[in-house]
Amino acid sequence: MIAIDQIRIAYFLGIGGIGMSAIARYFKTLGIEVHGYDKTSNDFTRSLEKEGFKIHYSEDINQIPSKVYNTRNSIVLYTPAVPRDSIELNHLMSQNVPIYKRAQVLGLISKDAYTIAVAGTHGKTTTSSMIAYMLHTSGVNFSAFLGGVSSNFGSNYIQQKDAVDLFSKPLMVVEADEYDRSFLQLSPDIAIVTSTDPDHLDVYNEHLEFKKTFVEFIEKIKPEGIAIINDHLDIESKVRTIKYGTYPSSQAIISKREIKDSHFTFHYAFNNVETDVKNALPGFHNIENTAAALTACSLLNLPIDNLARACSSFLGVKRRFEYLVKTDKHIVIDDYAHHPAAIIACIESVRALYPDKKLTGLFQPHLYSRTRDFGKEFALALDLLDECWLMDIYPARELPIEGINSEFLALKMKNNPILIAKENILKKLENEKPELLLIMGAGNIDQLLKPIQNLYL
């Protein structure tokens, strides 16, 4: 594989992806010339273009810079989301240009760094973003590759320099993606596993195989490395492990979880050090994410009081329990939740904050295969709402599966969901304006967020 310091030009297939755009930004800081293609323009590509990146939106081999074919100094990156019949991908393969998956390049970037990698079906973006913010407030040099846009930094790639070096090599925080077994390309010093609820069964045949791959990820840790694992998980390995959570047998213990003045608070104890924490980030599930971040940063010998203070000013990640509207009459919360377990955690947190309000949920299912594989679980989760508005399935990379649609999901539910097309949502909201609205989904539902916010404000 090419060394990073040899790269002069990089070409990204799918540059608008959350992980790809972070690496593109990193490459630019190294002085590497970056070009890219994506199927459609989105918030990430528009931001990149404003930053000077050159991007095109139609598959056209003539728009690939000629310097990309200089195989000694070039690299091409692509993601599993790029279809195998991609014109540009197949053309570049035929030209013997060095082509790597995004995960391979992230592994290359982090190989010689002190790396904190965060994995899990859910919670990994929030936890990795929180670690980055704690490092920032502690005055530490680091870089972070995130799976979402940090609200504190306004970016998915963060670099802090001209501060204090904790190690003789770079310190990196990376989000470890389980899809397509991507995280097996990493060899971290600290590996965090937040959850292993089954997902991506189009890649993994069964839940057991899914969980085994997380064990493989942990065992990729560098010698003397440490795994930090949620104590609710039955993951066992030969790697040195710290369990965090509510179990008294854990090493990093959460206790006294409460809601005070609309803030989620708890007590944290680890390595004979204790502190009370007030989370600016809502949600009981985010208490666990906070504990994981505190544990990782404590292992770097950063003062616990400083870390706890960072929790009170951490603003979270875009589309993770994000308030769009918060007035005396109306509350609108947006969340990326697209898995049954994440939906349940989100709904339970909203209920805890607003127990007396009618809760209306707007949900866009993501992927035909996920809807098929977890239809029963989705129904149970969505039935926790007082009223559910159900959108069409967002296909992403998939072709339709016969018989799998929103009606398939609605028939499994008990609370009579309302099926609604995307183009009719704003009109319905304008007429009804639910007092407490929870928006959930990982597809193009994000295109509705600003118009929905404008309706209420």
Side-chain angles (χ1 to χ4, degrees):
M1 191 178 221
I2 190 172
I4 294 292
D5 59 7
Q6 293 178 334
I7 301 172
R8 298 292 176 267
I9 184 168
Y11 188 70
F12 287 69
L13 287 166
I15 195 169
I18 186 72
M20 292 282 271
S21 56
I23 295 177
R25 289 186 164 111
Y26 168 72
F27 275 2
K28 188 179 180 183
T29 67
L30 299 179
I32 296 171
E33 183 181 341
V34 177
H35 297 255
Y37 157 79
D38 212 296
K39 187 177 180 181
T40 56
S41 173
N42 60 25
D43 288 343
F44 291 112
T45 58
R46 287 188 285 272
S47 294
L48 290 173
E49 286 178 308
K50 288 178 182 177
E51 295 166 31
F53 292 85
K54 299 171 184 176
I55 303 171
H56 63 274
Y57 299 97
S58 58
E59 282 211 275
D60 180 2
I61 63 173
N62 294 316
Q63 295 199 58
I64 300 173
S66 59
K67 287 184 284 186
V68 170
Y69 300 102
N70 180 356
T71 57
R72 290 173 298 175
N73 303 111
S74 66
I75 189 171
V76 174
L77 289 76
Y78 75 102
T79 72
V82 175
R84 286 294 177 182
D85 62 354
S86 162
I87 295 170
E88 291 195 13
L89 178 61
N90 282 286
H91 169 71
L92 289 165
M93 284 180 168
S94 72
Q95 301 299 308
N96 296 316
V97 175
I99 301 177
Y100 302 102
K101 287 186 178 180
R102 178 193 62 83
Q104 291 175 291
V105 177
L106 189 58
L108 177 66
I109 291 168
S110 62
K111 179 171 64 75
D112 296 322
Y114 187 97
T115 303
I116 302 172
V118 186
T121 316
H122 6 267
K124 55 183 175 286
T125 301
T126 297
T127 303
S128 55
S129 300
M130 186 174 285
I131 292 170
Y133 185 65
M134 288 178 179
L135 295 176
H136 165 72
T137 58
S138 297
V140 171
N141 283 333
F142 74 98
S143 56
F145 298 83
L146 307 176
V149 176
S150 163
S151 295
N152 289 94
F153 297 99
S155 181
N156 57 338
Y157 173 69
I158 304 160
Q159 184 181 52
Q160 179 159 288
K161 51 187 179 180
D162 301 325
V164 175
D165 287 317
L166 290 184
F167 305 98
S168 58
K169 53 187 176 181
L171 171 60
M172 289 187 178
V173 181
V174 302
E175 185 166 325
D177 186 6
E178 75 278 3
Y179 179 69
D180 199 34
R181 296 178 173 84
S182 293
F183 58 3
L184 298 184
Q185 300 289 337
L186 303 171
S187 296
D189 296 87
I190 296 176
I192 298 174
V193 179
T194 61
S195 54
T196 59
D197 295 299
D199 199 7
H200 305 303
L201 297 185
D202 55 328
V203 175
Y204 302 90
N205 294 323
E206 57 182 4
H207 188 196
L208 182 60
E209 183 183 344
F210 185 72
K211 289 172 65 175
K212 282 181 177 177
T213 310
F214 277 89
V215 176
E216 289 181 54
F217 163 67
I218 291 168
E219 293 180 344
K220 298 277 289 184
I221 288 176
K222 293 170 187 168
E224 309 304 321
I226 301 173
I228 300 173
I229 300 175
N230 191 310
D231 62 14
H232 290 75
L233 306 180
D234 59 351
I235 290 180
E236 299 295 337
S237 77
K238 297 176 183 178
V239 174
R240 179 188 167 196
T241 298
I242 295 170
K243 293 289 185 79
Y244 71 93
T246 56
Y247 294 168
S249 59
S250 296
Q251 292 79 39
I253 301 175
I254 297 167
S255 61
K256 301 178 183 177
R257 297 186 301 172
E258 298 178 289
I259 298 178
K260 295 180 180 178
D261 300 323
S262 298
H263 285 86
F264 287 75
T265 66
F266 66 101
H267 187 76
Y268 173 80
F270 175 59
N271 268 358
N272 299 316
V273 175
E274 301 184 30
T275 187
D276 291 314
V277 180
K278 182 172 86 169
N279 256 5
L281 195 63
F284 284 116
H285 56 297
N286 283 321
I287 288 177
E288 294 185 359
N289 295 331
T290 303
L294 286 169
T295 305
C297 291
S298 294
L299 291 173
L300 304 182
N301 296 317
L302 299 174
I304 190 65
D305 291 343
N306 292 350
L307 300 177
R309 273 196 297 273
C311 299
S312 64
S313 56
F314 176 65
L315 301 178
V317 181
K318 294 291 185 184
R319 301 219 61 228
R320 269 68 170 185
F321 212 103
E322 182 181 13
Y323 281 94
L324 299 183
V325 178
K326 194 175 185 182
T327 67
D328 292 339
K329 291 184 178 181
H330 297 104
I331 302 289
V332 180
I333 298 169
D334 172 47
D335 197 274
Y336 191 69
H338 57 282
H339 184 280
I343 291 170
I344 290 171
C346 192
I347 292 173
E348 288 180 344
S349 296
V350 175
R351 290 282 193 201
L353 282 169
Y354 307 104
D356 301 322
K357 292 183 181 292
K358 176 185 175 182
L359 176 55
T360 301
L362 171 63
F363 177 60
Q364 182 186 45
H366 185 263
L367 298 179
Y368 297 106
S369 61
R370 184 182 283 123
T371 306
R372 175 198 63 199
D373 295 339
F374 303 107
K376 179 182 177 182
E377 291 82 359
F378 274 119
L380 291 171
L382 295 169
D383 275 337
L384 297 176
L385 297 163
D386 293 313
E387 185 169 295
C388 178
W389 299 359
L390 198 56
M391 295 173 62
D392 294 333
I393 296 172
Y394 182 75
R397 57 186 176 268
E398 292 186 339
L399 295 173
I401 298 174
E402 187 176 354
I404 305 301
N405 47 38
S406 294
E407 288 84 352
F408 163 84
L409 197 52
L411 289 171
K412 294 181 179 296
M413 295 173 63
K414 294 179 180 178
N415 69 355
N416 299 316
I418 297 168
L419 299 178
I420 185 165
K422 183 183 175 186
E423 59 268 21
N424 297 329
I425 288 169
L426 293 178
K427 186 66 175 177
K428 186 172 179 62
L429 282 173
E430 188 176 14
N431 292 334
E432 300 187 19
K433 281 196 178 176
E435 62 172 346
L436 178 58
L437 176 65
L438 175 60
I439 302 168
M440 296 176 290
N444 62 1
I445 194 171
D446 62 335
Q447 296 172 358
L448 293 171
L449 301 182
K450 193 64 179 177
I452 288 173
Q453 189 179 45
N454 290 338
L455 276 178
Y456 278 87
L457 299 179

